[in-house]
Amino acid sequence: MGDCESVAPQLEGEENLVAAAKHIVRALGSNKNLTKDVKKILADLGSQLSTMATIDDEGVEGLKSGIEEHLSVVEEKIMSWETDESMIWDSGPDEAFEYLSAVDEARKLIQGLENRCLNGEDEKELLRRAHDVLQLAMQRLEEEFKYLLVQHRQPFEPEHMSFRSNEDDGVDVGSMVSFGDESFEESARRDSVSRTSEECIIDLVHPDVIHDLKCIANSMFMSNYDHECRQAYVIVRKDALDECLFDLEIEKFSIEDVLKMEWGTLNSKIKRWVRAMKVFVRRYLASEKWLCDQIFSELGLANFVCFVEAAKAPMLQLLNFAEAISIGPHQPEKLVRFLDMYEVLADLLLDIDALFPDEAGSSVKVEYHEVLKRLADSVRATLVEFKNAVATNTSTNPFAGGGIHHLTRYVMNYLRLLVDYKDTLNLLLKNDRSVPVLLSPDSSPSTEDESTSNDFSGGVSAMTLHLQSLTSILEANLHEKSKLYRDASLQHFFLMNNIHYMAQKVKNSELRVIFGDKWIRKHNWKFQQHAMDYERATWSTILSFLKDESNSSNSSISRTLLKERLRSFYVAFEEVYRTQTAWLIPDVQLREDLRISTSLKVIQAYRTFVGRQMYHIGEKHIRYSAEEMQDYLLDLFEGSQKSLHNPHRR
């Protein structure tokens, strides 16, 4: 009994042929016009057909007996493993082949029996037994299938990806007021993962068992147990994908959990998510798709369905985290992280569309596109919040020493970071009316100039307009902060420091490409103007004491006046020294330049006055030599208050 599938149809065909012939003989025999010879031939033919029918009935009985015998052999082979706790595929390829052959025979027996017209109870009982045997075999194959997938799973090791070491490296930007550490610009740089390491297909299951898995899958699908096979695959591989996320140190958080996180913790979670997202999609999911293709390639859309069902939950877990981030508050310190998340999702968009095409993967793809859109909205909204935060940052007390304000450092270092995202920002800000580009003309003295420089008819990127708008807002705020100083010279000193810092930050960084040389020249002129205004406000009154306006230099009145003017000069100079040694110019070159400029004016006027009036004033009234005064001027702007004490002079 070899092939039941071919024997059963053959016998059925013969039965039908005999029945048709007997019908023809009866029809012809009823014709009265036939000769005796013809009638005799028909009678002999009818007798032979009756004999054939009897023989066929005996063949059918023999076939039933043969099917039952064949089924018993198959049943014995399959049942022999029901009491064996070992795994078939651990017993060697011969045992596995024999078991699959027995399963194949059981399936063919069922097909043969189902193709017959089952009238007798014996035949129905044979079919029931065959189905029971096949069901037991399918349950065993499902176990073997899962066992091979689990036992021969290859470990996933994210090479060169030290995630945990970055747990505490997040930048807690803090508030605008408190932040003043320039290390922000270095530590907040985004992480990078080489695309080469991302796009490497790996064997998630050992290649030696792929053929066995494929054979089991084919057998289960041919036996109409495709649902059970797919379900077994999805259960095992979903666990593997969850373990991959664990290896990448991605935790499962609810939206509420994310919204409650402190920024320092959330910042590090986002950085880890960005790195993990690339590796998971380009390396792990691509490898998972390859595994599905190898096992189910001959089974229609099964490979695609299995992949989607296994990958859906882990992907939605990753997307849920991004969604939670997007619906949270849009604080300025989050802008860079929003951009990181947007860029990685945008970069993986084609990969996702390829991995989850058509209807089966639509839920993942639709959610992916929606989260990408929400992050884009978050970037734009955060830029608005950032501008508002800069514009509304207020101070109740003047900034000590007239140095570079924390807000200035924060904003300019922030803008430096945004240069890394210029392509993305240009894309997101293009034709976006939700973010105001320019201030109103009455916002500050500097706004009109900025408005003119930004009012281009074309050729200026959206990012350029927005960043220049931010610097205009910053300058307007600095002008307001300068008014907190009662001393006019300190107002100009403060603005000189801060605008110089802005200009240098642009000139010596990638911002130069964004802002252009025209912007730099304009701001160089601005801080130089404030430097001249500082000198004028500080020294013009003091140096006026050194002007000799007496027409009768020999008179005692004129000598007294000269001495009084010199004394007043010394008092004013010592007050400037005491006050302005506490003022600070952080930039070494700017400090040196202002000292030299001040020294040239003051020392020249002092030396000229003393040289002309020494005879009339008397040496004992000269407290300091020109060289001493020049040395004292070199003490200015160090940020440490000092007082003049000259024991040699009265």
Side-chain angles (χ1 to χ4, degrees), residues 13 169 193 251 255 336 362 387 416 424 502 513 520 634 648:
D169 66 354
V193 179
E251 303 167 72
I255 290 178
V336 169
S362 62
K387 287 189 174 185
R416 278 193 64 183
T424 299
M502 293 170 63
V513 178
I520 295 172
L634 296 179
H648 304 293

Side-chain angles (χ1 to χ4, degrees), residues 190 334-340 342-343 346 375-384 386-387 414-432 435 460-467 470 511 514:
R190 54 180 170 174
K334 294 182 179 179
L335 179 56
V336 169
R337 295 297 166 238
F338 283 144
L339 286 164
D340 285 337
Y342 177 86
E343 283 196 346
L375 284 171
D377 293 339
S378 296
V379 169
R380 288 186 282 262
T382 306
L383 270 174
V384 173
F386 186 34
K387 287 189 174 185
Y414 207 98
L415 298 189
R416 278 193 64 183
L417 290 181
L418 296 185
V419 177
D420 289 343
Y421 305 89
K422 59 180 180 296
D423 293 336
T424 299
L425 284 171
N426 278 325
L427 176 67
L428 295 179
L429 297 175
K430 187 177 181 181
N431 300 324
D432 176 44
V435 185
V460 179
S461 70
M463 180 182 176
T464 297
L465 293 175
H466 283 280
L467 296 197
L470 265 167
L511 286 170
I514 304 298

Side-chain angles (χ1 to χ4, degrees), residues 349-508:
L349 189 57
L350 293 179
D351 300 80
I352 293 297
D353 287 346
L355 288 169
F356 298 95
D358 303 326
E359 185 176 351
S362 62
S363 61
V364 174
K365 188 165 63 174
V366 167
E367 180 64 18
Y368 192 96
H369 283 258
E370 185 62 29
V371 170
L372 184 65
K373 179 180 178 296
R374 289 197 190 105
L375 284 171
D377 293 339
S378 296
V379 169
R380 288 186 282 262
T382 306
L383 270 174
V384 173
E385 289 298 320
F386 186 34
K387 287 189 174 185
N388 291 338
V390 175
T392 58
N393 179 264
T394 58
S395 303
T396 56
N397 297 311
F399 189 69
I404 300 166
H405 199 278
H406 300 323
L407 180 65
T408 309
R409 294 184 186 275
Y410 185 99
V411 172
M412 296 311 297
N413 288 330
Y414 207 98
L415 298 189
R416 278 193 64 183
L417 290 181
L418 296 185
V419 177
D420 289 343
Y421 305 89
K422 59 180 180 296
D423 293 336
T424 299
L425 284 171
N426 278 325
L427 176 67
L428 295 179
L429 297 175
K430 187 177 181 181
N431 300 324
D432 176 44
R433 298 177 181 273
S434 65
V435 185
V437 176
L438 299 171
L439 291 169
S440 59
D442 58 351
S443 295
S444 78
S446 64
T447 305
E448 186 175 353
D449 292 338
E450 290 304 309
S451 299
T452 303
S453 67
N454 288 336
D455 189 18
F456 298 112
S457 58
V460 179
S461 70
M463 180 182 176
T464 297
L465 293 175
H466 283 280
L467 296 197
Q468 288 187 354
S469 171
L470 265 167
T471 58
S472 294
I473 294 171
L474 173 60
E475 284 186 64
N477 188 295
L478 291 172
H479 275 276
E480 289 302 310
K481 285 178 169 37
S482 72
K483 296 176 183 178
L484 295 172
Y485 298 108
R486 295 182 179 180
D487 188 339
S489 60
L490 188 52
Q491 292 180 7
H492 294 295
F493 185 87
F494 172 77
L495 291 172
M496 172 200 69
N497 262 328
N498 284 268
I499 295 176
H500 175 267
Y501 180 85
M502 293 170 63
Q504 290 300 107
K505 212 67 177 178
V506 171
K507 178 182 177 182
N508 298 325

Side-chain angles (χ1 to χ4, degrees), residues 32 138 346 393 504 533:
K32 298 179 179 180
M138 290 298 106
N393 179 264
Q504 290 300 107
D533 290 341

Side-chain angles (χ1 to χ4, degrees), residues 542-555 557-563 565-566 605-606 608-617:
I542 298 175
L543 293 181
S544 67
F545 292 125
L546 301 181
K547 292 181 180 179
D548 183 7
E549 299 174 354
S550 174
N551 293 324
S552 52
S553 58
N554 293 327
S555 69
I557 298 177
S558 121
R559 288 192 182 94
T560 302
L561 181 60
L562 290 173
K563 292 175 185 178
R565 285 183 176 177
L566 182 59
Y606 180 71
T608 300
F609 180 84
V610 171
R612 288 179 179 177
Q613 307 299 339
M614 174 69 77
Y615 175 77
H616 303 288
I617 296 174

Side-chain angles (χ1 to χ4, degrees), residues 221-241:
F221 269 68
M222 291 175 67
S223 303
N224 295 322
Y225 279 79
D226 50 306
H227 173 74
E228 288 77 4
C229 183
R230 289 196 301 266
Q231 189 176 42
Y233 180 89
V234 169
I235 290 172
V236 174
R237 293 311 304 165
K238 182 183 177 298
D239 287 343
L241 288 166

